[in-house]
Amino acid sequence: MSETVRPDTGSIEAVEAGLIGANYICNRQTATAIYLARNLRKPVLVEGPAGVGKTELARATAHYLDLPLIRMQCYEGLDESKALYEWKYGKQLLYTQILKDTYGASLRGIESISEALEKIGDFDDVFFSEQFLEARPLLAALRQENGAVLLVDEIDKSDQEFEAFLLEILSDFQVTIPEIGTISATVPPLVVLTSNDSRDLGDALKRRCLHLHIGYPDAKLEERIIEVRVPGVEGRLRAQIVAFVQKLRTFELKKLPSVSETIDWARALVLLHVTSLDADAVRDTLNVLLKYESDIESMKKHVNSILAAVN
Amino acid sequence: MLVEFLRAARRAGIAVSVAESIEAFSAVDLIGYEDRQTVKDALRLVIAKSDEERERFDECFERFFGIGNFESGADGLFDATLETSPVELLELLDSELARLLLDDDRAELVRRLHAAAAEIDLASVRLFTQTNQFARRILEAMGIEALDAAIARLRGSGEGEAQRLADFLELRRRAVAELARDLVERRLAASGGGEADRMHDEFLQDARLVNVDRRDLLRMRVLVRAIGRRLASRYGRTRTKAKRGHLDVRRTIRRSYSFDGVPFRTHWKRRKIEKPRIVLLCDVSGSCAPLAHFLLLFAYSLSEAFSDIRSFAFATSMIEVSEILETQTIDDAISQIMRTIGFQSSDYGRAFATFDQDFMDSIDRKTTVVVLGDGRTNYHDPRIDVMRRIYERSRRVVWLNPEHRVAWGMDDSEMLRYLPYTHVARVCNRLRHLEAVVTELVKSR
C-alpha cells in the first residue's frame, strides 16, 4: 500500500478484500462491522471465545488501513494514569533540582511575596507542559495525526470505574488535562474493544458500540484461514486438519480448540513432516490443540473414531 | 418501516435505545436496502448486544422482513393477466388503487402496503383476534373503498369488456387483501412473542418454587443463573473499591526519607475488604425435596459466583458437597447429591452434631452461615446448642425457610427455637426472595 493513497473503505467488499490483503480471512459480518465502524465512527465491541482472532482483527485492520495500532491491555486495577497520561515525575524532579540555582538567582532581589509567586508561577507552567507529559495509549491514540486503530484488549478484565471513564473518551474522542486543557483527536481513532465475557459489561458502554460476535468459523472459512496462515500445508492435509478440529469442537471439553490452536497445530504438523493425519501423529500432537490434561486424556480414546469419520 | 422494525425488536425483548435507533438509521443509510443479508448484519451489529439478543434479533428479523417485503409474494394470486386494456373504460376507474393494480407494479404496491401499515400504526397490533380488523384498516388506508366503487360502476355499465375488467380487478383485490392479511400476521408474530416470554419470566419469578412446572425448570435454571451472575459482578465491584482511597500522608512522608525528603513515591490508604466467606447448609430431606432441587441449584450458582464457599447438604446426616458442586455439571451434581443423601427424613440434631464434630472449624469470625431448610426435626433433639455455637462463632447466620412464617413452630418445626440464634431469618420460596436475600448478603459486609 503506497503512502499517498488512502486505503479504500468505500464498500463492504473493499473492506473484506483489504482484510484479506492483511492476511485476515473473515466472514461478511466481520467486514460489515469494520466498514460501519469506519464510516459511522463507532467503536466495535468484539466478543467471542478465546483465540478466534479478536485481537488479530484489530491488527489486520490497522495493517489494512495503514494506520498505527495502539494497544491497551486491560487488567484489574488499570486506572487513568496508566491508560491516559501521567506526568513524568522523575523528569520534573530532576529538572527542578538542576534548575534550582537558575530560579534561585532569578528570585534574588525580589522583595514582595506576590512578585515572587508570579515568578514561580512561570516555572510552574513550564513543568506542567507537554514536555513532561507521558502519553499513555489512550492519549497517544488521540494524538496520532492520521488517526490510529486503538485496541482496548479484554475490556472485561478492567474495573467498572475504568469502563465509565472510557465512555467519555469513546463518545467525544477528547480528554481534558487540567493543567493543559482539552486535547481532542484530529482524526478519531478506530476503536476495537475485545471482551471474553468474564463479566457483564455496563449497558452504557454496550450502547455505544457495534457488537460483533466472532464464533468458531465453519469448515470452509477455517480452511481458507489455514491456507493463508500456514502456506506449507497441502490441500488434503488441510481438509483433514480442519475436519478433525471441527469434529473435536462437538465434544464436551473444558476448552474447545480455537482457530489459533488449529493454526498452531497445522504448523506443528508441517514441522513434523506429517503429510496425512494418522492416529499416532494426532496423539503426539494433541497437546497443541487441547490445553487441559483431562481434555487430552478423554480425547485420546476418541482419536481413532474421529479420524475414521474425517477420512 | 425501520421504525416499526425497531419497535418490534423492542417488543421481542431487545433493549433498543433512542441512540441505537439513530445509529440503525445511519447504518442503513450507509449501506442501502439492496442486500437483505447486509441489512441484517448491519442492524444486528448495531442493535443486538448479547448472545440472547442476537438470537432474538435473528428470529425477529426473519419474521418481520419475511420474503414478502423484498419480493412481492402472494403466490399465484397475481398470475392472471388481462390481454386487452380497454382505454375507454379506464375513465370509469376513479381509483388510484385500481390503476395501480392494472399497471401491475408490484414493488410500488408493496411500498403502498407498508405506507398504509405505518399510517394505521400496525405496530400496535397485539392479539390474533385483531388480525382482520387491522387488515381491513390497511386496505381502507390504501383506498379500497374507491376500488370497490369502481368495480361496482364497471359491473353497472353492463358491457362484456367492462365485466371482464371487473372480474380481473376483483381477482387483484383479493390478492391485495391477502397481502395485507399476511403482513398483519407476520407483524403480530414478530412483536407478540417477546412480550409473552417476558410475562412468563415474571410469572416464574413470582411462582412458588414448589409449584413450578417441570417444563419450566430449564427456563427457571436460566433465571437462577442470571441472578448468580448478577451477584458475581456486583460483588466484584465492591471488592475493587479497596484500591481507591486517600493519600496516606504519614506513610508517604516516611517513604520520602530515602529520596531526600522529596515525596517521590506516594502511598495510598487502603481499605481492606474481606471476601465473604460463606458456609451453606442445605436441607435435602424428604420434606424439603421439591425445594431441594432449587436450593441446590442456587447453591450451585452461588459457588460459581463466590470463590470462598463451602456447601453442606444434610438430611439424616451431613456431607460436604462443595467439591461436587464445583467439579461437576449442574445436573450431575444435583442428582449425585440427591442420590447420596436426598429424600431421607431430616434429623437436624444429628446433622448438626456431625457438623459440630467435623466442620465447625470452617466457621470463623468472618463467615456467613446460610441455612436453607424448614427446621422440621421429626421430633428429634434439635441440638439448639450447636446452633448457638455456630451463631457465636460466625459473623452472621442467615436462615432461609421455605415455609410461611405462620407455620414456623407448628408440629415438629423447631424454627422458633432456632430463631434466636440467627441474625436474619426469612421466608424464601420464590426466586424473588432468593435474590433479595442474597443481595443483602453481598451488601451488608
Side-chain angles (χ1 to χ4, degrees):
Chain A
M1 236 165 277
S2 70
E3 286 294 314
T4 45
V5 181
R6 299 305 308 165
D8 178 24
T9 48
S11 69
I12 297 170
E13 288 74 24
V15 173
E16 201 171 351
L19 287 175
I20 291 173
N23 265 358
Y24 189 85
I25 312 293
C26 63
N27 57 13
R28 206 179 152 78
Q29 173 99 40
T30 309
T32 310
I34 296 297
Y35 170 73
L36 284 178
R38 177 85 174 156
N39 288 293
L40 294 177
R41 300 191 183 284
K42 289 261 285 185
V44 195
L45 175 63
V46 192
E47 289 175 313
V52 288
K54 299 189 292 291
T55 309
E56 196 59 35
L57 173 64
R59 198 166 293 152
T61 309
H63 183 80
Y64 148 56
L65 295 174
D66 201 13
L67 294 173
L69 174 75
I70 294 173
R71 178 176 174 163
M72 189 171 73
Q73 175 70 45
C74 293
Y75 50 88
E76 210 178 311
L78 178 70
D79 59 7
E80 294 159 45
S81 67
K82 289 188 191 102
L84 187 55
Y85 72 91
E86 199 169 22
W87 292 106
K88 295 175 182 167
Y89 298 117
K91 199 172 165 191
Q92 280 172 338
L93 271 177
L94 199 64
Y95 277 44
T96 27
Q97 291 296 323
I98 294 170
L99 296 175
K100 218 179 199 167
D101 298 336
T102 322
Y103 53 81
S106 72
L107 285 180
R108 211 163 294 141
I110 292 173
E111 299 286 309
S112 73
I113 292 176
S114 60
E115 205 179 328
L117 273 179
E118 212 170 283
K119 267 268 192 288
I120 296 172
D122 293 344
F123 286 113
D124 196 21
D125 286 347
V126 174
F127 283 114
F128 286 100
S129 65
E130 300 223 1
Q131 207 182 344
F132 292 94
L133 197 63
E134 176 91 66
R136 300 288 185 191
L138 287 180
L139 186 61
L142 292 184
R143 279 162 124 199
Q144 291 292 332
E145 266 167 42
N146 294 324
V149 175
L150 173 64
L151 167 64
V152 183
D153 219 356
E154 300 186 325
I155 172 80
D156 51 329
K157 298 258 170 66
S158 71
D159 306 328
Q160 215 106 17
E161 290 88 348
F162 180 74
E163 202 182 299
F165 156 79
L166 200 59
L167 279 182
E168 189 187 325
I169 294 176
L170 292 186
S171 53
D172 298 337
F173 293 113
Q174 63 176 37
V175 289
T176 305
I177 299 170
E179 293 88 348
I180 294 179
T182 305
I183 296 179
S184 49
T186 33
V187 179
L190 180 83
V191 185
V192 179
L193 304 112
T194 74
S195 159
N196 280 332
D197 220 11
S198 72
R199 83 176 157 84
D200 276 343
L201 296 173
D203 282 341
L205 184 75
K206 282 183 167 181
R207 220 169 39 228
R208 279 177 178 74
C209 298
L210 299 171
H211 287 261
L212 176 64
H213 183 269
I214 305 184
Y216 297 118
D218 56 16
K220 239 170 85 190
L221 193 64
E222 194 160 19
E223 269 193 52
R224 279 178 64 205
I225 294 172
I226 298 294
E227 188 179 349
V228 171
R229 299 303 292 268
V230 194
V233 188
E234 278 164 33
R236 211 174 84 81
L237 179 60
R238 191 164 59 228
Q240 282 179 330
I241 289 174
V242 170
F244 187 88
V245 174
Q246 294 270 345
K247 192 87 193 166
L248 213 53
R249 287 195 192 122
T250 59
F251 285 88
E252 268 208 14
L253 295 170
K254 264 189 179 166
K255 162 88 180 72
L256 293 177
S258 201
V259 183
S260 65
E261 271 96 24
T262 317
I263 294 174
D264 287 346
W265 195 41
R267 286 208 180 114
L269 292 175
V270 170
L271 209 65
L272 295 171
H273 303 294
V274 175
T275 48
S276 174
L277 279 189
D278 58 65
D280 285 337
V282 171
R283 275 201 200 94
D284 290 345
T285 53
L286 209 55
N287 55 346
V288 181
L289 275 179
L290 300 170
K291 299 297 157 78
Y292 285 95
E293 197 54 42
S294 57
D295 282 354
I296 297 176
E297 283 309 314
S298 66
M299 275 303 113
K300 273 191 177 157
K301 292 186 292 236
H302 298 291
V303 167
N304 279 327
S305 64
I306 301 177
L307 275 178
V310 165
N311 285 320
Chain B
M1 195 154 84
L2 195 51
V3 178
E4 282 170 59
F5 172 67
L6 292 175
R7 243 201 277 178
R10 239 171 244 161
R11 228 173 284 140
I14 306 171
V16 184
S17 68
V18 178
E20 277 161 344
S21 316
I22 298 173
E23 215 56 62
F25 270 100
S26 36
V28 172
D29 264 355
L30 202 63
I31 53 169
Y33 276 107
E34 287 82 37
D35 183 23
R36 185 162 180 278
Q37 189 58 39
T38 311
V39 172
K40 186 175 171 183
D41 280 353
L43 285 179
R44 180 166 40 190
L45 283 165
V46 175
I47 295 173
K49 286 169 290 287
S50 61
D51 278 344
E52 201 189 345
E53 288 196 352
R54 266 185 283 275
E55 223 165 83
R56 285 187 180 165
F57 174 87
D58 284 349
E59 205 174 298
C60 184
F61 188 92
E62 290 305 337
R63 275 185 190 159
F64 194 91
F65 295 110
I67 298 300
N69 288 32
F70 282 75
E71 299 158 29
S72 320
D75 321 301
L77 287 168
F78 280 102
D79 287 352
T81 47
L82 199 67
E83 294 95 43
T84 54
S85 56
V87 184
E88 66 277 16
L89 282 172
L90 287 179
E91 286 158 28
L92 278 172
L93 297 177
D94 190 19
S95 156
E96 210 187 326
L97 184 60
R99 241 165 278 143
L100 197 66
L101 291 178
L102 282 179
D103 282 350
D104 212 20
D105 186 354
R106 289 175 204 185
E108 174 64 14
L109 194 65
V110 170
R111 207 192 57 73
R112 289 281 177 90
L113 200 63
H114 282 290
E119 196 179 311
I120 63 147
D121 195 20
L122 179 58
S124 64
V125 63
R126 288 292 160 79
L127 303 168
F128 266 111
T129 46
Q130 291 174 313
T131 315
N132 279 328
Q133 181 199 344
F134 271 87
R136 177 80 212 159
R137 277 169 59 195
I138 289 178
L139 292 176
E140 277 168 14
M142 288 175 79
I144 199 91
E145 277 163 351
L147 177 67
D148 286 345
I151 292 175
R153 266 200 304 283
L154 282 172
R155 293 238 186 268
S157 68
E159 293 167 46
E161 194 82 343
Q163 290 297 348
R164 266 210 298 286
L165 186 59
D167 285 347
F168 175 73
L169 280 177
E170 284 273 0
L171 211 64
R172 283 287 156 98
R173 183 192 181 282
R174 226 180 301 152
V176 174
E178 200 64 36
L179 277 180
R181 225 189 124 77
D182 189 43
L183 181 67
V184 176
E185 274 171 5
R186 258 205 324 264
R187 232 20 99 74
L188 194 64
S191 60
E195 188 123 316
D197 265 4
R198 213 172 38 240
M199 267 162 71
H200 197 62
D201 274 5
E202 265 166 36
F203 160 76
L204 282 180
Q205 286 218 328
D206 260 341
R208 279 166 154 270
L209 294 174
V210 188
N211 297 341
V212 175
D213 210 349
R214 269 222 82 79
R215 77 193 150 82
D216 286 332
L217 273 181
L218 263 177
R219 187 83 214 130
M220 198 80 168
R221 199 171 281 183
V222 175
L223 284 176
V224 170
R225 296 193 71 167
I227 294 175
R229 264 180 64 154
R230 221 163 32 231
L231 290 171
S233 68
R234 201 177 298 169
Y235 155 68
R237 212 178 307 172
T238 48
R239 230 173 86 192
T240 50
K241 270 199 191 131
K243 295 201 188 92
R244 314 278 143 145
H246 297 282
L247 184 72
D248 190 334
V249 180
R250 275 202 302 185
R251 284 197 181 185
T252 305
I253 290 178
R254 204 180 304 145
R255 278 188 175 191
S256 75
Y257 292 151
S258 51
F259 302 109
D260 203 12
V262 181
F264 198 65
R265 224 170 253 160
T266 50
H267 193 275
W268 302 88
K269 277 183 186 152
R270 273 168 183 268
R271 195 141 57 96
K272 204 170 174 189
I273 290 192
E274 286 154 7
K275 292 181 180 180
R277 220 178 261 174
I278 295 182
V279 168
L280 195 66
L281 305 177
C282 185
D283 185 351
V284 291
S285 65
S287 59
C288 276
L291 261 173
H293 187 89
F294 283 102
L295 297 182
L296 286 175
L297 181 64
F298 196 68
Y300 187 85
S301 14
L302 273 184
S303 57
E304 276 182 345
F306 299 94
S307 53
D308 207 355
I309 181 165
R310 289 186 73 176
S311 323
F312 303 88
F314 66 91
T316 314
S317 56
M318 181 177 280
I319 54 163
E320 174 157 13
V321 295
S322 316
E323 209 186 309
I324 303 177
L325 288 178
E326 257 161 52
T327 52
Q328 305 205 18
T329 60
I330 182 152
D331 285 315
D332 293 349
I334 290 177
S335 62
Q336 188 182 337
I337 293 169
M338 292 309 273
R339 249 199 334 271
T340 322
I341 58 163
F343 303 113
Q344 303 167 347
S345 70
S346 60
D347 182 345
Y348 277 66
R350 258 182 72 186
F352 279 163
T354 321
F355 185 82
D356 191 23
Q357 242 174 47
D358 299 341
F359 306 116
M360 204 44 133
D361 299 346
S362 64
I363 296 179
D364 60 20
R365 271 189 313 109
K366 295 173 190 163
T367 316
T368 301
V369 180
V370 181
V371 187
L372 305 163
D374 58 4
R376 293 202 174 267
T377 58
N378 290 320
Y379 303 106
H380 293 294
D381 179 8
R383 291 299 296 267
I384 302 291
D385 57 316
V386 180
M387 196 63 209
R388 192 173 69 219
R389 250 199 315 284
I390 293 176
Y391 176 78
E392 281 161 358
R393 281 179 75 113
S394 66
R395 180 183 192 119
R396 265 156 70 87
V397 177
V398 179
W399 193 303
L400 305 179
N401 195 325
E403 287 188 333
H404 202 273
R405 223 164 244 276
V406 183
W408 294 5
M410 277 165 73
D411 302 328
D412 60 344
S413 167
E414 299 287 357
M415 194 56 206
L416 291 180
R417 289 179 67 192
Y418 286 125
L419 205 54
Y421 304 114
T422 61
H423 293 89
V424 185
R426 287 282 154 79
V427 178
C428 177
N429 50 26
R430 299 192 162 104
L431 264 191
R432 253 186 231 298
H433 294 159
L434 220 51
E435 184 174 10
V437 167
V438 182
T439 312
E440 212 174 301
L441 256 183
V442 180
K443 259 198 251 164
S444 56
R445 274 181 294 119

